[in-house]
Amino acid sequence: LEINHTMPGLGEVSVKYLTVALKSDERFLALGRDLRETVTLQRRLVQAQQEMEREYSRVRQAETRYRLLFQFSSQPVVIADAQSLPVREMNPAAQTLLRIDANRIEGKSLASGFAASHASDISTLFATARAAGMSEMRGLRLARNNDAVDAVATLFSFGRASHMLVKLRAAN
């Protein structure tokens, strides 16, 4: 049984009682345990859980904003793994420019979206971006229609993985 006692100078103190019947007569022995430390820990736990929920909510809102910006941006953008370059995400503007369905290229190398004759240029673009943090290349030809595009690859880390943010634009 838990009982809250109001104590001068201490405020409300929770005490958990255990009663034991004494065999000698009809009396009981009540043993009480001060729960202030437990209550303090429970309050801290609840505060930590509430703070985590606020942080999760903030992260979900930021992710929603990112998704909206990514999806509605007129700038063609592709996100690929920095090492082997499989496409992780591609916004609709990139799908339109590359004339490819994101489901058909997602998980495949980003280099497959470019003409085979530019394979070494693509390798150079990404190697330079891995080494210097950013790289730019002009006049790359697309695999689907041989149109020329300019690409800017920027290396970024998320968690333990490195990714490439590749911004594309039609070449002038």
Side-chain angles (χ1 to χ4, degrees):
L1 180 66
E2 287 184 27
I3 298 176
N4 292 330
H5 298 280
T6 303
M7 304 187 111
L10 294 176
E12 197 168 280
V13 177
S14 293
V15 179
K16 184 175 186 175
Y17 287 99
L18 171 70
T19 56
V20 179
L22 299 174
K23 291 184 180 183
S24 60
D25 50 25
E26 295 180 7
R27 291 188 285 176
F28 291 87
L29 175 62
L31 302 170
R33 180 174 175 215
D34 184 348
L35 297 178
R36 283 182 289 184
E37 188 174 316
T38 303
V39 168
T40 300
L41 288 173
Q42 287 173 338
R43 282 188 189 131
R44 287 178 46 205
L45 175 63
V46 168
Q47 288 171 345
Q49 288 172 329
Q50 289 171 341
E51 182 60 34
M52 283 176 49
E53 282 300 316
R54 284 190 292 274
E55 183 64 18
Y56 285 143
S57 176
R58 190 185 67 72
V59 168
R60 283 190 300 269
Q61 289 172 1
E63 183 177 358
T64 299
R65 287 190 299 273
Y66 156 77
R67 289 271 167 227
L68 288 171
L69 286 170
F70 187 73
Q71 292 301 317
F72 292 112
S73 172
S74 60
Q75 172 78 51
V77 178
V78 179
I79 297 174
D81 180 87
Q83 298 309 313
S84 57
L85 300 175
V87 172
R88 298 291 180 217
E89 294 184 71
M90 176 184 298
N91 72 353
Q95 292 176 45
T96 301
L97 180 67
L98 295 172
R99 294 187 180 161
I100 193 164
D101 180 8
N103 295 329
R104 294 188 65 199
I105 196 170
E106 197 166 303
K108 295 180 184 168
S109 174
L110 178 58
S112 67
F114 295 92
S117 61
H118 285 278
S120 65
D121 294 333
I122 298 298
S123 294
T124 300
L125 174 74
F126 296 124
T128 303
R130 279 192 293 272
M134 187 176 127
S135 181
E136 184 172 353
M137 188 139 317
R138 297 181 184 276
L140 297 169
R141 296 285 174 180
L142 298 178
R144 289 276 185 192
N145 55 16
N146 209 35
D147 285 352
V149 297
D150 298 334
V152 177
T154 305
L155 182 69
F156 73 96
S157 295
F158 181 73
R160 295 182 180 168
S162 294
H163 300 282
M164 288 286 175
L165 174 71
V166 182
K167 295 185 280 185
L168 303 168
R169 69 177 178 271
N172 297 342

